[in-house]
Amino acid sequence: MDEARWNRFKEAVSGHSKHSPSVALIVDSPWIPGWRGISHFDYYLAFDAWLEANLRVYETYPHIVFLPGFWVEYGMAAEPSGFGCKINWYGGSTPTINPVLRSIDEVDALTVPDPERDGLMPFVLWWYRKAQEVLREQGIFIRMVAARGPLVTAAHLRGLTEFLLDLKTEPERTKKLLEITTETVIAWLKAQVCTVPACEGIMLLDDVVGFLSRRDYEEFAHPYLQAIFEAFPDKIRVYHNDANILPFADLLADTGLQVLNFSHTISITALAEKTGGRVCLMGNIPPLEVLAQGTPEEVQNAASACLQEAENSGNVRLLLSAGGGVSPGTPAENIAVLERIAAEMW
């Protein structure tokens, strides 16, 4: 992104901003192709189509911070593909991933994939190399890279239901699986960071963490999330989870994350109390019921309510956003409401 937007984002994260809260949105292939009127095949396979679509988003809403920004991704398929998961592709939606582990016992034969060689990851790195060369000429830099987290990756390898059952019936083997997926996430993020010299931030996305109780979170999530964030001490660390993180939000704030994108079902006040001002909160407009399905007036009202709640909650660092990523089918006029709010804050 341009320096002005990136600096506004960094100021919001640090709490040193002299401005009103910024507006930030997570946008990727569930939304961008439909918004631009192209197929997912065009978006995933045609560099020029991908670049034009992302540039159009960037230019149409010049005051919104888009995270991670010019994201090269294939839905959630990059990490699982490195382990050999079968991927089903569709022209009108994101791909689906098929589990590769028929039994948790097969974890003994599992190895960490090489981001430069395995699955779709080498294609992502190649795309980043090509993209940054073109964008640099326009004064645009890729400042953040992203990865799916260790639990959601494990759930893709095993199947979500099976993974959650294994967590209770085969805890030690499940931990071995999580050690492998954690090592994979770190290696994958490092490969992207090395490929993108202008990178100053990482984003980790893992909703499966929100399916756990506080006790299970402490045992099966916290140490792995902490290991990932600790591997990038010099980067801004963003974490997305729009499931129920409230039971362990105080512990989550200890992992080293700096920005927390959370579910609209959790109030800003409640999360601010849990995290004690240690992280910048990113939310909290309902992404489906309001941003995707509501009217512009409803988006405006929801945004105003979020800003008012943050102000009433005391010293809250807030990035106004959806309580999750931008959903498929979200209309341009509703994003335009947030652009107008962002322009007024500028």
Side-chain angles (χ1 to χ4, degrees):
M1 64 186 75
D2 59 72
E3 286 298 314
R5 273 189 265 200
W6 182 244
N7 288 336
R8 286 291 296 271
F9 172 71
K10 290 194 295 184
E11 287 177 0
V13 174
S14 67
H16 297 150
S17 178
K18 298 178 182 179
H19 308 281
S20 301
S22 295
V23 177
L25 292 174
I26 297 175
V27 293
D28 52 358
S29 60
W31 177 69
I32 295 177
W35 173 82
R36 192 66 194 102
I38 61 176
S39 76
H40 280 70
F41 286 150
D42 288 330
Y43 189 78
Y44 292 141
L45 299 174
F47 176 80
D48 289 344
W50 171 88
L51 181 64
E52 192 277 338
N54 278 273
L55 280 171
R56 187 61 65 91
V57 171
Y58 182 84
E59 294 164 353
T60 303
Y61 310 105
H63 296 93
I64 296 176
V65 176
F66 292 105
L67 299 178
F70 293 90
W71 189 3
V72 181
E73 44 83 31
Y74 301 99
M76 298 187 183
E79 296 86 359
S81 71
F83 291 95
C85 287
K86 178 184 175 183
I87 312 297
N88 298 123
W89 298 91
Y90 311 94
S93 63
T94 54
T96 57
I97 298 110
N98 297 276
V100 72
L101 298 179
R102 294 169 296 178
S103 166
I104 190 61
D105 295 339
E106 295 178 0
V107 72
D108 293 333
L110 205 63
T111 58
V112 175
D114 179 355
E116 296 281 356
R117 299 286 181 269
D118 297 331
L120 294 166
M121 291 185 282
F123 294 95
V124 171
L125 298 179
W126 180 88
W127 208 284
Y128 270 133
R129 292 185 186 104
K130 185 176 178 68
Q132 63 188 338
E133 292 175 3
V134 178
L135 293 171
R136 190 182 301 118
E137 297 175 358
Q138 303 185 45
I140 300 172
F141 298 90
I142 298 173
R143 296 297 187 185
M144 184 175 291
V145 295
R148 307 294 170 177
L151 275 77
V152 70
T153 301
H156 281 312
L157 299 182
R158 185 73 180 96
L160 177 58
T161 300
E162 289 76 10
F163 171 73
L164 294 175
L165 287 172
D166 292 340
L167 187 142
K168 289 299 185 182
T169 61
E170 295 283 353
E172 295 310 312
R173 288 189 182 276
T174 299
K175 289 177 184 177
K176 183 173 182 179
L177 174 58
L178 289 170
E179 289 169 4
I180 293 170
T181 56
T182 298
E183 188 177 346
T184 298
V185 171
I186 293 172
W188 175 222
L189 285 171
K190 286 184 175 181
Q192 293 178 79
V193 168
C194 288
T195 300
V196 183
C199 177
E200 296 182 28
I202 63 161
M203 176 184 290
L204 189 70
L205 304 96
D206 201 324
D207 294 337
V208 175
V209 173
F211 298 175
L212 306 183
S213 66
R214 182 181 177 91
R215 178 178 176 180
D216 286 340
Y217 167 83
E218 290 183 90
E219 185 174 1
F220 295 98
H222 189 86
Y224 307 107
L225 297 179
Q226 189 170 39
I228 293 168
F229 291 130
E230 287 180 349
F232 301 92
D234 61 336
K235 305 299 181 188
I236 293 177
R237 300 171 295 278
V238 179
Y239 178 58
H240 159 87
N241 188 326
D242 54 9
N244 183 22
I245 60 171
L246 195 59
F248 46 78
D250 56 324
L251 301 175
L252 195 58
D254 293 331
T255 59
L257 66 88
Q258 293 169 283
V259 180
L260 178 57
N261 178 228
F262 59 104
S263 170
H264 69 283
T265 61
I266 301 172
S267 74
I268 294 171
T269 302
L271 197 56
E273 290 176 354
K274 280 277 192 174
T275 57
R278 288 173 288 165
V279 299
C280 177
L281 303 183
M282 181 174 163
N284 193 27
I285 300 169
L288 183 61
E289 296 88 343
V290 175
L291 196 57
Q293 299 174 348
T295 65
E297 182 180 8
E298 288 171 328
V299 175
Q300 177 68 59
N301 291 339
S304 298
C306 289
L307 294 173
Q308 186 63 56
E309 184 180 1
E311 184 177 343
N312 294 341
S313 297
N315 188 25
V316 175
R317 285 175 287 157
L318 178 72
L319 285 161
L320 181 63
S321 183
V326 175
S327 299
T330 298
E333 55 267 28
N334 284 358
I335 303 296
V337 173
L338 299 183
E339 167 60 24
R340 288 196 296 272
I341 293 172
E344 292 170 1
M345 294 173 174
W346 204 257

